[in-house]
Amino acid sequence: GSGTIVAALSLTPYSKSPFEKGGFRGICMRNYSRNLKPPSRELCRNMTDAEQLLWSRLRRQQLHGVQFYRQKPLGTYIVDFFASAAGLIIEVDGGQHLKPDHPERDRQRDRCLCEEGLLVLRFDNRAVLLETDAVPARIGTEILHRMKSPPASSYPFRRSR
């Protein structure tokens, strides 16, 4: 299909997290390892054709008024696209994700992000390049679903003021 949800909302108990400032429904999302900023900027300058195409559909709040960030450092990771208002991460997977060790590394990374209450949608380059309307439509559907779903009463990441 044109989009696989590989991680879903997790209601695991909150413990010390690398994600420690405001964000999605109070999820702490702004802290990141400072050494990720230079590689993040480099990734922005050298986006793949598929990432550029998808960015042209996500930027400037084109999908339901939601702001996306590209090559966003989160915790110890850099994600391709991030919409904090929806707690949504979009990953565009190129050929390197087919290498033998990559699927397990992706699963571990997605699991960590999921434990922070985020949802990861992965699309391969081919889907982004060939399904130019279907991929943004799938992302838009997930945004609407996540934006209208109230957080669970036991949601562990509420921000106190």
Side-chain angles (χ1 to χ4, degrees):
S2 68
T4 305
I5 297 175
V6 294
L9 181 65
S10 171
L11 297 178
T12 55
Y14 179 72
S15 60
K16 196 88 169 153
S17 167
F19 303 85
E20 297 236 338
K21 291 184 186 171
F24 172 64
R25 298 182 182 151
I27 286 179
C28 302
M29 282 315 309
R30 293 291 191 306
N31 278 1
Y32 58 89
S33 178
R34 289 185 191 272
N35 63 346
L36 292 179
K37 201 61 175 168
S40 169
R41 288 182 180 138
E42 185 66 22
L43 287 167
C44 280
R45 284 191 293 271
N46 296 303
M47 289 173 39
T48 66
D49 290 344
E51 288 170 338
Q52 288 177 20
L53 179 62
L54 187 55
W55 178 239
S56 75
R57 302 292 298 271
L58 299 177
R59 65 188 305 188
R60 297 189 184 129
Q61 302 177 358
Q62 293 178 67
L63 282 179
H64 307 297
V66 171
Q67 176 73 47
F68 275 87
Y69 301 90
R70 61 185 171 146
Q71 305 302 340
K72 177 72 172 155
L74 294 176
T76 59
Y77 303 107
I78 299 173
V79 300
D80 290 339
F81 302 103
F82 176 58
S84 61
L88 183 61
I89 292 169
I90 310 300
E91 289 291 319
V92 179
D93 295 341
Q96 74 275 18
H97 291 268
L98 300 175
K99 292 181 180 175
D101 65 329
H102 234 286
E104 180 55 31
R105 286 178 25 203
D106 285 343
R107 278 190 292 279
Q108 289 174 352
R109 179 178 197 251
D110 294 344
R111 203 171 15 255
C112 175
L113 294 165
C114 173
E115 287 171 0
E116 296 300 326
L118 300 171
L119 179 72
V120 179
L121 291 180
R122 286 187 175 276
F123 300 93
D124 64 33
N125 280 348
R126 191 172 191 280
V128 172
L129 293 169
L130 297 178
E131 301 177 44
T132 57
D133 290 326
V135 169
R138 173 69 183 94
I139 295 167
T141 298
E142 197 58 49
I143 287 170
L144 289 176
H145 175 75
R146 300 220 7 122
M147 297 292 284
K148 69 180 173 186
S149 297
S153 59
S154 61
Y155 203 73
F157 297 106
R158 295 196 191 276
R159 183 193 302 177
S160 59
R161 292 207 178 224

